[in-house]
């Protein structure tokens, strides 16, 4: 048996004194994770401010991360990021408390809930796409942001807002994401300062909704969470407010997948044609089972999730003890994270043939079936690990979106600069991803 204490520390860099590699991470977190996984493999050493950090990548490292004897989630986030989410939120607790909380949250995201959300989700998607089809040339990214906000606020909170308010909310959640990986200084005008103000606004909004749903429940996510009882426990109002903010923030990334998939379709006419044929065989109003049963569409949605620059990491914690990864020692007390992006696209780390290529057919060849091979929303199981609770919701949203998009008029990408802003979650097109319908 290997003596963990005798193993060397992971390779990597500790960066600048006091700052570490925090500035590089904040400036381009996707390439930061990708490049370190490409250079060092399954484990890389780094430092954020004064805190040593181990960056894990790949399925084997995911299994090590998921072992609760190795890593705890409590204390993993920087204090300013933990404060944004709030104490006791599901991404900062461990053990039985975490599993109970996850069971609560899944009540808003289980099959019954998804079946309830589907008709309104499809109507909203159809309405937006019908408007796009008559617009000629447009910035698809802006339109997908508005659609995403309309979907998740409607499904989870039962809210309807005009487009100007949806855009303002989207910017608030974008600030929230940038603040999580940014420097911990809430100077006026910084993402952290703006995110704190936005947090207070949304918390107040959610408290109003919760009071309304207590008096008159509907089928939205709030009503389902209020009705949830796990081991005789119900969610308190303050916990529910924080979990709603966390849930909606996590779901705002849908627009990144919408745009990534639309670009893939526009750049590969043969793929688009084959998918249009597959979608044409679906009923006019396909239920969730029919959508999931459309193999070509599901494979496409999976590849969109795997390759998009949505979020560079989904799991961060603190080492409970010294443990081994790929022949190296991660010391007790180090921060530990598992990189989602690096684990899926880096050759030699990602368990895929030519992982940098967009190839939905890979799943028909059996790729992505091993443990933690396909984990774009975090490794593990929904109820027993910190994998995103919204995996099935997001899959349904992608299937609905792409089915409706493929049923509409053809679209192309006019000549444009496709440069991306890499410091946002998801990475965003600087010029909006212009598309031309018809």
């Amino acid at each position: 048996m290997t003596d963990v204490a005798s193993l060397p520390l992971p390779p990597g860099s500790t960066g600048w004194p006091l700052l570490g590699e925090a500035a590089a991470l904040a400036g381009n977190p996707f390439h930061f994770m990708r490049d370190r996984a490409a250079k060092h493999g399954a484990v890389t050493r780094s430092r954020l401010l004064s805190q040593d950090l181990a960056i894990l990548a790949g399925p084997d490292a995911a299994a090590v991360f998921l072992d609760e004897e190795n890593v705890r989630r409590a204390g993993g986030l920087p204090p300013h990021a933990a404060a944004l989410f709030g104490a006791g939120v599901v991404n900062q607790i461990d053990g039985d408390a975490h599993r109970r909380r996850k069971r609560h949250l899944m009540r808003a995201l289980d099959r019954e809930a998804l079946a309830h959300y589907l008709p309104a989700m499809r109507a909203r998607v159809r309405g937006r796409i019908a408007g796009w089809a008559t617009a000629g040339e447009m910035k698809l990214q802006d339109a997908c942001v508005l659609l995403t906000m309309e979907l998740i606020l409607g499904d989870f909170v039962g809210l309807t807002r005009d487009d100007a308010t949806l855009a303002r909310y989207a910017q608030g959640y974008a600030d929230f994401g940038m603040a999580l990986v940014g420097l911990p200084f809430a100077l006026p005008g910084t993402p952290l300062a703006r995110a704190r103000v936005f947090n207070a606004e949304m918390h107040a909004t959610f408290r109003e909704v919760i009071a309304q749903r207590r008096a008159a429940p509907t089928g939205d996510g709030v009503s389902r969470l209020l009705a949830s009882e796990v081991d005789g426990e119900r969610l308190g109002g303050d916990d529910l407010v924080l979990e709603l903010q966390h849930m909606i923030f996590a779901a705002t990334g849908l627009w990144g997948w919408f745009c990534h998939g639309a670009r893939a379709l526009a750049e590969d006419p043969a793929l688009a044609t084959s998918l249009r044929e597959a979608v044409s065989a679906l009923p006019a109003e396909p239920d969730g089972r029919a959508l999931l049963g459309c193999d070509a569409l599901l494979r496409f949605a999976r590849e969109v999730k795997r390759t998009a620059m949505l979020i560079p990491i989904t799991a961060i914690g603190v080492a409970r003890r010294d443990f081994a990864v790929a022949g190296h020692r991660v010391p007790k007390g180090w921060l530990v994270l598992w990189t989602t992006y690096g684990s899926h696209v880096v050759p030699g780390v990602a368990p895929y043939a030519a992982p940098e290529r967009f190839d939905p057919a890979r799943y028909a060849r059996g790729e992505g079936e091993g443990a933690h091979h396909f984990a774009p929303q975090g490794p593990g199981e929904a109820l027993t690990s910190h994998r995103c609770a919204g995996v099935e919701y997001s899959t349904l949203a992608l299937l609905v979106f792409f089915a409706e998009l493929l049923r509409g008029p053809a679209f192309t990408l006019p000549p444009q600069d496709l440069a991306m802003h890499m410091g946002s979650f998801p990475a965003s097109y600087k010029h909006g991803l212009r598309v031309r319908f018809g």
Side-chain angles (χ1 to χ4, degrees), residues 272-423:
T273 297
S274 67
L275 284 170
R276 286 182 186 277
E277 292 174 356
V279 167
S280 70
L282 288 170
E285 306 283 336
D287 60 13
R289 180 173 297 181
L291 288 166
L292 289 168
C294 184
D295 292 337
L297 188 63
L298 181 60
R299 289 194 292 265
F300 176 74
R302 294 187 79 192
E303 190 71 341
V304 167
K305 283 191 174 187
R306 185 187 72 85
T307 57
M309 288 185 287
L310 196 83
I311 188 167
I313 62 173
T314 58
I316 186 167
V318 179
R320 292 182 183 269
R321 62 179 181 181
D322 287 15
F323 63 85
V325 181
H328 294 89
R329 173 173 58 92
V330 175
K332 178 181 179 180
W334 276 28
L335 287 178
V336 187
L337 64 80
W338 186 77
T339 167
T340 312
Y341 186 63
S343 295
H344 287 84
V345 302
V346 173
V349 173
Y352 296 92
E356 70 281 4
R357 285 199 305 116
F358 189 92
D359 179 18
R362 69 174 72 248
Y363 303 105
R365 300 191 294 268
E367 295 185 36
E369 297 303 318
H372 317 309
H373 284 203
F374 182 79
Q377 291 165 269
E381 299 298 325
L383 288 174
T384 59
S385 76
H386 282 270
R387 190 186 79 164
C388 177
V391 169
E392 285 76 19
Y393 176 87
S394 61
T395 298
L396 180 65
L398 292 186
L399 294 175
V400 170
F401 176 78
F402 291 121
E404 297 302 321
L405 188 66
L406 289 159
R407 282 175 160 163
F411 59 92
T412 57
L413 298 181
Q416 62 188 286
D417 182 354
L418 293 171
M420 302 190 77
H421 173 55
M422 306 300 293

Side-chain angles (χ1 to χ4, degrees), residues 58-426:
D60 293 341
V64 175
F65 182 94
L66 290 172
D67 186 340
E68 291 188 344
E69 293 187 3
N70 290 334
V71 180
R72 60 176 167 83
R73 297 300 292 270
L77 290 173
H80 74 283
L84 278 179
F85 283 115
V89 173
V90 69
N91 65 350
Q92 299 180 62
I93 54 179
D94 299 284
D96 290 341
H98 169 261
R99 285 181 277 275
R100 284 193 300 272
R101 181 61 59 85
K102 207 64 175 294
R103 287 167 64 191
H104 279 298
L105 298 181
M106 292 305 295
R107 299 293 170 83
L109 297 160
D110 60 17
R111 289 185 179 181
E112 181 184 352
L114 298 186
H116 177 82
Y117 301 150
L118 177 55
M121 178 187 291
R122 180 161 36 232
R124 293 179 179 118
V125 170
R126 280 184 178 171
R128 291 280 177 178
I129 292 178
W132 303 348
T134 63
E137 188 171 314
M138 59 174 291
K139 290 185 177 180
L140 185 65
Q141 181 171 270
D142 292 349
C144 286
V145 167
L146 295 177
L147 171 60
T148 295
M149 296 308 303
E150 183 180 16
L151 291 176
I152 59 181
L153 289 173
D155 291 338
F156 298 156
V157 199
L159 290 178
T160 58
R161 294 289 189 266
D162 60 35
D163 282 359
T165 303
L166 294 177
R168 186 171 64 80
Y169 285 179
Q171 183 58 56
Y173 285 112
D175 289 335
F176 192 108
M178 288 187 287
L180 294 179
V181 297
L183 297 176
F185 308 120
L187 299 175
T190 61
L192 180 55
R194 295 195 301 268
R196 288 176 175 176
V197 173
F198 178 70
N199 242 11
E201 177 187 355
M202 297 310 294
H203 288 182
T205 298
F206 295 153
R207 289 190 181 95
E208 292 178 3
V209 173
I210 290 168
Q212 293 166 2
R213 298 299 182 270
R214 287 190 194 279
T218 67
D220 65 8
V222 173
S223 300
R224 294 172 186 277
L225 292 173
L226 284 170
S228 176
E229 185 173 325
V230 175
D231 298 335
E233 170 198 82
R234 291 182 180 270
L235 285 174
D238 290 342
D239 287 334
L240 182 49
V241 166
L242 297 178
E243 294 295 359
L244 284 170
Q245 183 72 329
H246 175 221
M247 182 184 298
I248 292 175
F249 166 69
T252 56
L254 278 172
W255 66 260
W257 283 328
F258 293 162
C259 290
H260 186 63
R263 177 179 173 181
L265 292 171
E267 292 180 336
D268 190 341
L271 174 62
T273 297
S274 67
L275 284 170
R276 286 182 186 277
E277 292 174 356
V279 167
S280 70
L282 288 170
E285 306 283 336
D287 60 13
R289 180 173 297 181
L291 288 166
L292 289 168
C294 184
D295 292 337
L297 188 63
L298 181 60
R299 289 194 292 265
F300 176 74
R302 294 187 79 192
E303 190 71 341
V304 167
K305 283 191 174 187
R306 185 187 72 85
T307 57
M309 288 185 287
L310 196 83
I311 188 167
I313 62 173
T314 58
I316 186 167
V318 179
R320 292 182 183 269
R321 62 179 181 181
D322 287 15
F323 63 85
V325 181
H328 294 89
R329 173 173 58 92
V330 175
K332 178 181 179 180
W334 276 28
L335 287 178
V336 187
L337 64 80
W338 186 77
T339 167
T340 312
Y341 186 63
S343 295
H344 287 84
V345 302
V346 173
V349 173
Y352 296 92
E356 70 281 4
R357 285 199 305 116
F358 189 92
D359 179 18
R362 69 174 72 248
Y363 303 105
R365 300 191 294 268
E367 295 185 36
E369 297 303 318
H372 317 309
H373 284 203
F374 182 79
Q377 291 165 269
E381 299 298 325
L383 288 174
T384 59
S385 76
H386 282 270
R387 190 186 79 164
C388 177
V391 169
E392 285 76 19
Y393 176 87
S394 61
T395 298
L396 180 65
L398 292 186
L399 294 175
V400 170
F401 176 78
F402 291 121
E404 297 302 321
L405 188 66
L406 289 159
R407 282 175 160 163
F411 59 92
T412 57
L413 298 181
Q416 62 188 286
D417 182 354
L418 293 171
M420 302 190 77
H421 173 55
M422 306 300 293
S424 64
F425 296 162

Side-chain angles (χ1 to χ4, degrees), residues 21-39:
E21 295 193 294
L25 173 63
N28 191 333
F30 296 97
H31 288 180
F32 182 93
M33 297 298 166
R34 182 201 64 188
D35 294 348
R36 280 148 185 79
K39 183 175 183 178

